[in-house]
Amino acid sequence: MTAIRGAAAITGAANGIGRALAIELGNRGCDLALADRDEAGLKTLAAEIGAARKVSVHRVDVSAPGDIAEFAHNAIAAHPALGIVINNAGVALMGTFEEIDQAQMEWLFDINFWGVVHGTRAFLPHLKTQAEAHIVNVSSIFGIIAPPGQSAYAAAKFAVRGFSESVRHELAVAGSPVRLSVVHPGGVATAIARNSRTGAGVTDNARRAQSIERFENAAKTTPKDAALRIIKGIENNQPRILIGNDARFMDLLQRFRPGTYWAPLQRKLEKMAKGT
């Protein structure tokens, strides 16, 4: 069991799940190194957490490896007992594969996948010096299933899952004190859909509004509940953390019908949209 103590580093901390994690970990006695591009949001969050915890804020673009390396250096200097790293920052991109261009796909991968890889690499040497430590890499339920219109996002989140599982097994074989969990949230009520980019080839503006509305209607889990589930997963050293009944259902469906899950899932989603 991993104890919640020392300090935690969190990317994407200014909003959504990252923000909720910062508050809940702070409530449990963790000092915090908070990273985001939204520096004003970080400062507001730090003020909300208050002086009871040591909080450092770091303006970081996780698509820039240099920013992540600097974040790790400064976070460890500010919090020598840092033992939890949560690679949470992520973005979304709406459109089919043919509607998004290569530059957009690479933009998403730089944040959603390479940001996780660089964050893991930057902090791992320090974490290995701790008596116990934990890495949390946030994938998605779309790292388990891959719906149409999510080719870039699903590809990156599947990559996070594969990378993280392999690193976890490597750490276990080496007898490392570092544990690693992969998080697969279902619909969480954050602004990720509203803040998403649209594929260069998408010409139907109404489709974006409809997609956002569908996501927000389906996103039943609060960021706080997601954060509490992740913290429980850290404490229990759970390798896979599913968040929400929707994620648990989709994971189960994929296990039973790994190659043919989409047709029954689509029917269920259509019924939900109609309220039946």
Side-chain angles (χ1 to χ4, degrees):
M1 184 176 230
T2 301
I4 302 297
R5 63 187 181 191
I10 308 170
T11 65
N15 296 284
I17 295 174
R19 189 178 194 280
L21 277 164
I23 292 170
E24 295 303 325
L25 286 169
N27 288 341
R28 284 158 178 75
C30 262
D31 293 334
L32 299 160
L34 306 178
D36 204 292
R37 291 181 65 185
D38 179 4
E39 193 170 11
L42 291 178
K43 290 179 179 178
T44 299
L45 173 59
E48 181 177 338
I49 292 169
R53 304 262 52 89
K54 181 178 181 181
V55 180
S56 61
V57 298
H58 309 259
R59 188 187 185 284
V60 176
D61 179 350
V62 299
S63 70
D67 276 20
I68 295 178
E70 183 178 8
F71 171 46
H73 174 81
N74 292 339
I76 292 164
H79 310 277
L82 193 150
I84 298 172
V85 173
I86 304 177
N87 292 305
N88 164 73
V91 293
L93 175 61
M94 192 195 88
T96 67
F97 176 63
E98 293 180 302
E99 290 173 329
I100 60 177
D101 63 29
Q102 189 63 25
Q104 290 181 310
M105 197 162 190
E106 290 173 4
W107 164 79
L108 183 141
F109 257 78
D110 283 344
I111 297 168
N112 287 11
F113 177 62
W114 289 114
V116 171
V117 173
H118 293 310
T120 302
R121 190 182 299 281
F123 281 97
L124 185 56
H126 167 77
L127 295 179
K128 289 167 68 176
T129 69
Q130 304 300 296
E132 61 178 19
H134 211 107
I135 298 169
V136 177
N137 290 338
V138 179
S139 176
S140 168
I141 189 56
F142 293 166
I144 294 173
I145 67 162
Q150 297 290 338
S151 54
Y153 189 82
K157 294 300 188 177
F158 268 76
V160 169
R161 172 187 169 190
F163 163 75
S164 300
E165 290 183 3
S166 184
V167 172
R168 181 175 70 240
H169 299 153
E170 291 171 1
L171 294 169
V173 168
S176 172
V178 183
R179 304 290 188 265
L180 193 153
S181 298
V182 188
V183 180
H184 296 281
V188 179
T190 71
I192 189 168
R194 194 164 290 278
N195 293 337
S196 66
R197 291 191 180 183
T198 304
V202 176
T203 57
D204 182 1
N205 292 330
R207 204 169 102 215
R208 172 181 170 81
Q210 290 167 357
S211 295
I212 293 170
E213 183 179 8
R214 283 197 302 270
F215 173 82
E216 292 182 346
N217 288 339
K220 302 300 185 185
T221 303
T222 67
K224 178 177 179 178
D225 286 341
L228 293 174
R229 178 67 187 89
I230 291 169
I231 291 169
K232 181 180 177 181
I234 294 171
E235 291 174 329
N236 293 322
N237 290 327
Q238 293 179 326
R240 173 181 286 194
I241 301 171
L242 292 164
I243 297 178
N245 291 332
D246 52 348
R248 286 185 284 273
F249 169 77
M250 293 180 204
D251 176 60
L252 189 63
L253 178 61
Q254 193 278 336
R255 290 169 188 258
F256 280 106
R257 300 187 61 166
T260 58
Y261 59 78
W262 178 245
L265 181 55
Q266 184 178 31
R267 288 194 293 271
K268 181 175 178 63
L269 293 174
E270 289 173 351
K271 288 181 180 180
M272 288 172 60
K274 295 176 181 177
T276 59

